[in-house]
Amino acid sequence: MQSAVIVDVVRTPRGRGKPGGALSGIHPQELLAGVLGELEKRTGLDPADVEDVLTGCANAVGDHGDCIARLSVLAAGWPQHVPGLTMNRFCGSGQQAVNTAAMMIAAGQAETVVASGVEMMSRYPAGGALTLDGGNAKLRSRHPLVPQGISADLIASLDGVGRSDVDAYALESQRRAAAAIADGRFAGSMAPVLAEDGSVVLDREELPRATSAERLAGLQPSFARMGSAVLEGYDRSFDEMCRQAYPELAVVDHVHHAGNSSGLADGAAAVLLTSEETARERGWRPRARVLSTASVGAEPVIMLTAPAPATSRCLARAGMTMADIDLFEVNEAFASVVLRFMRETGVDASKVNVNGGAIALGHPIGASGPILLATLLDELERRDLSTGVVTMCTGGGMATATVIERI
């Protein structure tokens, strides 16, 4: 098997994922098309050589629908023979696109693939239904799925993690993100989003804002009311469903709020992957090699606990251990997710999300995987380190993981 290498990664800044956010007036196809064009420009890629464009998108309906991968290829003006495939593994969709591209190359089924992700939460259809189990009552009786925020509170409750713990983690994420932005650490892979007339729509991360321990402490829990309500179509509350799955739990302690949960965001990113031989033939100097990939499932009610086992599986495939990894990017869906990861793996906090994460910077669902890869690769280069891991929890109780090594 041949190695898959990463030639380059390009991403947008993350815009505020609500109507009125800086990127909200742009069609998601055009946002991704702009990133594809920037990747072409930076690498000297001939789009005619691209054998597939894989795109992660977690909510492929409305203007994200109709195979946004293929439509974005056309919007970018790339040749009509270049196909596109839209992938959905919830929050891990974009990372799954990268992993699948690497597997295609390693298996000798492709030489040049673009893996990408896009999500514009500001453009989600208004009043969308809460979909967790597709309305399947039989499945619900076996696996009483609950919203992710309640799953995060469930993790905290079972782990004895209190409000002060998740707030302290969130404050540190904001501090690290602010330092990274001030130091220009995201500049290498980030491309400004331009309007048709060439003017700049967004050239910086839009979500970070100054906060304090006192301000975080004053925020009301986001999921307490949802947890106690009995919604239409359900015969019990989500908190009761948690206790059904975990009868040892007397009460779900709702500790997450807007300040210690990932922010709604818009964004897109694209990664050029090739075989090492192809990179040599085309004069590219790859930035990293993909050593291994993995995805795993976990108990679906608690839902968000799979990053540690996914990382362990990924490292085992690479013949490595946690101690062999210099830096970890663990998606900050909620503070308790990362705290659980560090507790289970024993990885020191000084190696995890060193430039902050989605709590401070936002989580444009399908785009987050490639964005985290860009963040990791830029920081490995800045620190002259060698190895890194990206891992993400996803809906339905799954996680994705990727191990990379700088070249």
Side-chain angles (χ1 to χ4, degrees):
M1 295 179 70
Q2 57 188 348
S3 295
V5 297
I6 297 168
V7 176
D8 208 355
V9 188
V10 179
R11 72 170 181 93
T12 68
R14 280 160 283 201
R16 190 165 56 90
K18 296 182 179 180
L23 301 179
S24 62
I26 300 173
H27 196 287
Q29 295 170 17
E30 297 298 330
L31 190 70
L32 180 54
V35 170
L36 297 177
E38 182 66 21
L39 187 67
E40 175 186 349
K41 183 171 70 174
R42 289 192 183 194
T43 62
L45 169 70
D46 182 350
D49 293 330
V50 176
E51 292 162 85
D52 214 342
V53 174
L54 312 182
T55 301
C57 184
N59 195 32
V61 298
D63 55 15
H64 290 75
D66 303 309
C67 192
I68 194 170
R70 170 61 173 171
L71 299 178
S72 298
V73 166
L74 298 176
W78 284 15
Q80 294 179 14
H81 70 258
V82 179
L85 171 64
T86 303
M87 312 185 76
N88 183 358
R89 202 190 287 276
F90 300 109
C91 298
S93 299
Q95 185 176 14
Q96 187 60 59
V98 174
N99 288 357
T100 301
M103 288 186 277
M104 291 169 63
I105 292 166
Q109 296 302 301
E111 292 293 330
T112 303
V113 182
V114 172
S116 60
V118 63
E119 206 89 29
M120 298 191 66
M121 301 178 80
S122 66
R123 296 176 69 97
Y124 278 4
L130 181 67
T131 57
L132 301 169
D133 53 25
N136 184 347
K138 185 175 181 180
L139 174 64
R140 187 177 302 164
S141 67
R142 182 181 302 169
H143 299 296
L145 300 181
V146 301
Q148 286 194 5
I150 293 173
S151 292
D153 287 338
L154 175 59
I155 293 171
S157 300
L158 291 170
D159 288 356
V161 169
R163 173 68 180 262
S164 61
D165 300 310
V166 288
D167 281 359
Y169 181 86
L171 191 62
E172 179 64 7
S173 178
Q174 291 280 2
R175 186 195 69 77
R176 292 183 180 189
I181 290 169
D183 200 30
R185 296 178 203 169
F186 300 139
S189 296
M190 192 163 64
V193 179
L194 305 179
E196 289 188 20
D197 62 3
S199 61
V200 174
V201 176
L202 185 67
D203 61 359
R204 59 178 177 80
E205 301 282 19
E206 191 177 18
L207 275 81
R209 57 192 182 279
T211 191
S212 65
E214 294 74 22
R215 187 171 296 175
L216 290 174
L219 295 175
Q220 294 298 309
S222 295
F223 307 104
R225 182 177 297 179
M226 180 188 295
S228 62
V230 179
L231 302 186
E232 183 180 354
Y234 288 80
D235 61 359
R236 72 199 74 179
S237 71
F238 290 129
D239 282 1
E240 289 172 321
M241 292 164 71
C242 288
R243 292 194 293 271
Q244 174 188 337
Y246 294 88
E248 71 274 23
L249 188 67
V251 64
V252 178
D253 187 12
H254 293 286
V255 298
H256 288 90
H257 51 71
N260 56 34
S261 307
S262 55
L264 304 180
D266 296 340
V271 186
L272 175 58
L273 297 102
T274 72
S275 66
E276 292 195 76
E277 181 180 355
T278 297
R280 285 193 298 269
E281 289 173 354
R282 297 180 184 171
W284 286 320
R285 183 179 178 183
R287 298 176 66 186
R289 181 180 295 108
V290 178
L291 296 184
S292 62
T293 70
S295 55
V296 303
E299 197 282 303
V301 180
I302 203 166
M303 195 183 305
L304 309 174
T305 59
T311 300
S312 295
R313 177 177 291 180
C314 204
L315 289 170
R317 286 177 176 167
M320 304 170 76
T321 68
M322 298 287 177
D324 295 319
I325 300 302
D326 295 315
L327 294 175
F328 295 81
E329 285 292 327
V330 183
N331 189 44
E332 291 179 355
F334 301 91
S336 66
V337 172
V338 187
L339 294 174
R340 165 67 77 99
F341 175 86
M342 291 189 291
R343 182 178 68 81
E344 287 191 347
T345 62
V347 173
D348 191 86
S350 63
K351 289 186 172 184
V352 178
N353 300 347
V354 296
N355 290 323
I359 288 172
L361 298 160
H363 177 23
I365 315 280
S368 286
I371 288 175
L372 292 182
L373 181 63
T375 301
L376 174 64
L377 189 48
D378 286 346
E379 190 63 15
L380 287 173
E381 291 171 347
R382 190 181 78 87
R383 297 187 181 207
D384 195 22
L385 297 174
S386 178
T387 57
V389 165
V390 175
T391 187
M392 310 179 69
C393 61
T394 88
M398 298 183 287
T400 47
T402 313
V403 178
I404 65 168
E405 177 185 46
R406 278 183 60 210
I407 297 175

